[in-house]
Amino acid sequence: MLLSKSISFLSSSFVFLLLLITFILALGASLQSLSLSNNTELDLCPHLASMAATGSIMSGLTTIIILGKKYPTLLVTPDLFTVPLILSIANKISPSSSSPHEVLATLTVALSLSLGLTGLLGMFSLKFRILNFGSFLPSQVIGGLMSVVGVGTFRLAWKISTDAITVSTKEKVLLHFLPSVIAGLFIYSLQGRSPYILPGSILFMTSMAYLFVAISADGMDLAKDRGFFWASEEFSYRFANSTSTSTSTSTSTSYAPPYPFGYWFTLDDINWLLVFGAGKEILSFAFLFAIRCNLHNETLVRVANDCKDKYGSGSGSGRYQNDEKGCMKSHFIGFTLSALAGGTGAIPNLSAPSLGYRLHQTGRSVQVFALLMLLPLIATEWSVVAFLPKIVFSTIMIQCGIDLLVTYFIAPWRKCPTMWDFLPIPIMVLVSIFVSIVAAVVVGGCMCVFIFAQSHMREGFVKFLSNGLYLRSSVERGVRESECLNRNGEMIQVICLHGYLFFGNAKKLSPYVHSMFEEVDVADLPQNIAQNLPPFPEVIVIDMALVTGMDVSFVDCYPEVLSIATSHNCEVIFCGVDENIKIKSMMKGVVKKQGGRGVTFSKELDVALGEAEDRIISKRCKVETKPFFDDGDGDGDRDGDCKGFMRALELIDRNHNVSNSKNLGKLSKFVRRIDLARGTSLFEAPGIQQFAMEDSDERGLFFVEYGELSLERNPNKSTRSGSNFLNQNQGTITGIRSRGDGYMARNARARNSATERSFRNARLGAGWILGATEFCCGLRNAGVHICVADARLHFISYSDVQNVEEEDPLLALQLYKLVSFLQSKANEREVESLIMMKELHNQVTIKKPISRVQQGQIKFAYQAMNGV
């Protein structure tokens, strides 16, 4: 048993080590040739490979310690995403120096600074949530960025296969590059079948290469001259054009880069001017690699869960969760240690979990052993690499490039609904080839912004258009007011906006408002259409409750909307604008500059509709403020009180199509008359000096004979659900006052500010009964009844109703029946209003304005369909 476990452990460690070497040398080969200022070529392949190995060891051990118990097989390998970023820094440094020691030391410091900044950006992203790049970049930009890396790996594979080879281009393609492409396609097509496809393919290619060397006449020397193998001197840490007695600025110490922490012993070789000169490239490295790490964390969790579902339960229970804090912490510490040691960036390999599950080695020990085996390779200057053919490394690069392009280039092509949505990805690839990766990201982001704006402009930002005929507030109205709104409902126009208001669609609000005041030549229209033309509105309600956000562009078009409305003596009511949105303050600033005329703000659509209806009623409907005939208005005229009470019952019969006046006339001996002057409150209320009922505890039913009362309530004192319960109970659940003076002061200020905000809930006139809710269910209405027109009410107390129940149960039953009927009608109207709102919000978005002629045609067609 122990022997089998040891064999499994060693074989698995060898496979992981082989995978590490492959990625390390593939990254090292990216700096196979650099041009110095003295027109000489510098080969830094073994140096960069050692730096990559150092980074893998530092980041790998840190990641295993922090995340080893949470995720399986965290084999940390150099990230090939950094290859073009490292090349950009190296190409910035090498042409300005003639000393290879200076180039190596300066490049090591520049890469260390890049890694340190990457770790800092990751910590800022975790702590302040302002640099979480992966959450804000569009998918097209991410796909384009990964496609750029995929194309870069193909270019790197070409460089590995054909660089420093003096043969024809045809031979380079057919003998060096094409076999790598074929092998890469083969590995990619079979990679999901067995974990041994990759190491087996490497072993097969190496065996075939040695077979051709064995049967060749010139042997290994010819293979190295033709570029199929690396020469041993190519992996020496000593530079071919430099000796220990060189006049360069190299220090005399033998411990120098690329050994771990070597650049700390060669500080005199660092050219800090070149480091600062490559500042833009260093910042680009940190910015893009931070995005890459942020995206990699989520991808790693998804891969781990997929492998667990496919291959087994693993070492833990349940599904793996994204430990964002732990991942960012491991990146920060690992990158910091790598920067101090002079390494490159390394992150967990996404192919390692599948390999670990198939080898039944998902623990941490096998990974730590594979990482520590890199130290002898660094010490021996990668001498083992000379025994591996170049096709091995170029094949690995091709396979990684194919994987990236299939995932981020071909797959989005199939998922994108239109060609325009896919276009940023190939554009980013082209820009990265001819300009830079940073420019590609900027161009891709700008294209996505314009595509987003265009798509939203096509979809529209107006959810629905309606008017006062089809959309009513929940305010209880009298018969005359309802008839007035039925005749003049089209004077109220409602525009509901939704989505995000930005520069692309904000300016399209003006055509919608302008279409409401469109001048039409009636003589050119058919008579049936001309008769159904809607009138110019007197109130426009703009609902912004469904607006998720807006920019300053909406404020720019805001004055134009007001100008169109005010030029036609029309008022505008904005509702649903969040108090915390800065744009509202800017909108109010525009209103103030224009004099503040004709514009108001409401909290919600129902309130705005109620205000608009009030404006229409005040202009076009007169409330009856006097009785129909004189009845002797003395306080002691009992006969007059009875006649007035009978008229109130007759109005109820007429307005609600019932016949209860004769039966309920017997209650006249229990009622007493109450006359209210304008501005008088029914009950005692804060801020009201005159009130009719001296005893607020004397409750009952009020039958309105004539006049009008407005019910105003504090939104924090309501019998409906959603009210502020804490304010009703002095800021506590139990109603017990807090002993803290500071809290008491804040609570008092909150209550005082709440009383200043009143909400008009209903306007009740002749033919209505006040106190029905309290009569039916015992919930006292916390509102304040204010008389807005001289009114006369007839009051019967609840105690008298109880006496009626004992004396004449049938009469009491008829009273209950009438009150419940009126309450059910009120509830029915509220349900109808909710249904109407739901239907409107489920409508398809309106993409262009509807002219007055079109509205007339629609109205005529509707009347024809319904036989009107």
Side-chain angles (χ1 to χ4, degrees), residues 821-861:
F821 173 74
L822 296 180
Q823 283 296 101
S824 63
K825 286 191 66 176
N827 295 334
E828 184 180 356
R829 284 192 300 273
E830 186 171 354
V831 171
E832 290 177 354
S833 177
L834 293 175
I835 293 175
M836 177 63 69
M837 293 296 297
K838 180 180 179 181
E839 292 178 353
L840 291 175
H841 285 288
N842 289 335
Q843 285 184 356
V844 180
T845 303
I846 299 175
K847 299 182 180 180
K848 61 181 180 179
I850 302 176
S851 64
R852 293 180 64 214
V853 176
Q854 291 175 333
Q855 293 183 35
Q857 293 172 345
I858 294 172
K859 185 176 179 180
F860 173 74

Side-chain angles (χ1 to χ4, degrees), residues 84-311:
L85 304 176
I86 295 175
L87 279 174
S88 65
I89 297 176
N91 291 330
K92 186 70 175 181
I93 294 175
S94 61
S96 302
S97 177
S98 59
S99 171
H101 298 285
E102 182 181 87
V103 171
L104 179 59
T106 305
L107 179 62
T108 304
V109 172
L111 293 180
S112 299
L113 289 175
S114 302
L115 282 182
L117 289 176
T118 302
L120 288 176
L121 285 176
M123 294 304 294
F124 277 120
S125 172
L126 179 64
K127 185 173 182 60
F128 299 105
R129 299 288 180 178
I130 59 176
L131 296 175
N132 195 5
F133 309 112
S135 301
F136 299 103
L137 285 180
S139 59
Q140 295 98 319
V141 175
I142 296 174
L145 198 59
M146 297 303 177
S147 299
V148 167
V149 178
V151 173
T153 57
F154 272 87
R155 297 171 65 187
L156 184 58
W158 170 266
K159 184 177 181 179
I160 293 174
S161 301
T162 62
D163 197 23
I165 300 177
T166 56
V167 295
S168 63
T169 305
K170 182 178 180 180
E171 184 176 349
K172 288 182 180 180
V173 173
L174 295 178
L175 296 182
H176 294 271
F177 187 68
L178 186 60
S180 301
V181 175
I182 296 174
L185 288 171
F186 174 78
I187 294 174
Y188 176 78
S189 61
L190 299 179
Q191 65 176 353
R193 299 187 179 182
S194 173
Y196 298 103
I197 293 295
L198 179 59
S201 300
I202 294 174
L203 181 61
F204 175 76
M205 288 185 289
T206 304
S207 302
M208 294 300 297
Y210 277 100
L211 178 61
F212 284 112
V213 168
I215 62 178
S216 176
D218 296 327
M220 181 62 73
D221 294 336
L222 178 61
K224 292 181 179 181
D225 293 338
R226 299 298 294 271
F228 292 102
F229 283 82
W230 272 298
S232 300
E233 56 271 14
E234 292 185 68
F235 287 93
S236 174
Y237 291 156
R238 293 180 297 276
F239 298 109
N241 56 350
S242 178
T243 62
S244 60
T245 61
S246 173
T247 59
S248 67
T249 60
S250 175
T251 58
S252 59
T253 180
S254 60
Y255 195 84
Y259 291 111
F261 302 97
Y263 73 92
W264 292 99
F265 299 92
T266 59
L267 295 178
D268 294 337
D269 287 341
I270 301 173
N271 190 331
W272 293 103
L273 292 178
L274 294 180
V275 174
F276 291 116
K280 184 177 71 173
E281 287 73 14
I282 292 174
L283 293 177
S284 300
F285 183 107
F287 179 79
L288 296 175
F289 195 37
I291 297 175
R292 163 67 171 168
C293 293
N294 183 271
L295 298 174
H296 186 83
N297 297 336
E298 300 179 1
T299 308
L300 178 65
V301 176
R302 185 172 65 249
V303 170
N305 285 319
D306 292 342
C307 293
K308 183 176 183 179
D309 296 338
K310 188 174 182 179
Y311 300 113

Side-chain angles (χ1 to χ4, degrees), residues 627 629-637 640-641 647 673 675 705-706 792:
F629 53 86
D630 188 14
D631 53 3
D633 291 339
D635 292 337
D637 191 348
D641 293 346
R647 281 196 299 274
R673 187 179 67 189
D675 292 325
E705 180 183 353
Y706 64 86
R792 175 173 293 177

Side-chain angles (χ1 to χ4, degrees), residues 739-753:
R739 294 180 182 270
D741 295 335
Y743 181 81
M744 291 284 290
R746 291 194 300 270
N747 195 22
R749 287 195 298 269
R751 290 197 301 273
N752 292 334
S753 62

Side-chain angles (χ1 to χ4, degrees), residues 2 26 40 82 147 149 153 175 375 423 480 619 697-698 814:
L2 180 61
T40 59
T82 61
S147 299
V149 178
T153 57
L175 296 182
L375 293 174
L423 191 60
R480 295 189 183 202
K619 292 180 180 180
D697 293 330
E698 187 180 7
Q814 291 175 343

